[in-house]
Amino acid sequence: TYSLYTGAAHLAGGLACGLSGLGSGMAIGIAGEAAVTACGTWDVEYKNSKGGRDKKKSGGGDKLFVSMVLIQVFAGNVALYGLIASILLSQQVFYCENGN
């Protein structure tokens, strides 16, 4: 039969996976929006300071891009850790004996 302990473990596993995925998605969205805004602000300020378009590649530069990608990767790892925790929690099973 399905014990209370097993049910609580499965509920905790589902909550761990769902909430970590939600938190990771929010972090990725917020960080991505901030990075796009920063690249756009940098691009506008660069063009205004040069008096128009220039031959130089615009878009925030390599340093901003690398930091943006690193933040996205680390924010995505939160969901992976939640998935691992939910797998470990879902393996916790208690078997009832004699109908208890």
Side-chain angles (χ1 to χ4, degrees):
T1 62
Y2 198 72
S3 69
L4 181 63
Y5 177 81
T6 305
H10 289 164
L11 176 66
L15 286 173
C17 187
L19 293 177
S20 67
L22 180 67
S24 175
M26 289 176 61
I28 289 173
I30 292 169
E33 189 266 336
V36 168
T37 302
C39 285
T41 302
W42 185 88
D43 194 34
V44 168
E45 288 175 358
Y46 176 77
K47 287 179 182 176
N48 287 341
S49 68
K50 295 294 182 183
R53 294 193 178 256
D54 197 357
K55 298 286 184 183
K56 183 175 164 83
K57 180 181 174 185
S58 61
D62 291 337
K63 289 183 181 180
L64 184 61
F65 179 76
V66 169
S67 62
M68 175 181 64
V69 170
L70 283 174
I71 290 171
Q72 297 291 323
V73 167
F74 288 132
N77 284 342
V78 172
L80 182 63
Y81 296 145
L83 177 66
I84 292 169
S86 69
I87 289 171
L88 292 175
L89 285 168
S90 68
Q91 300 304 311
Q92 303 296 319
V93 177
F94 178 77
Y95 293 107
C96 296
E97 295 177 14
N98 299 329
N100 292 336

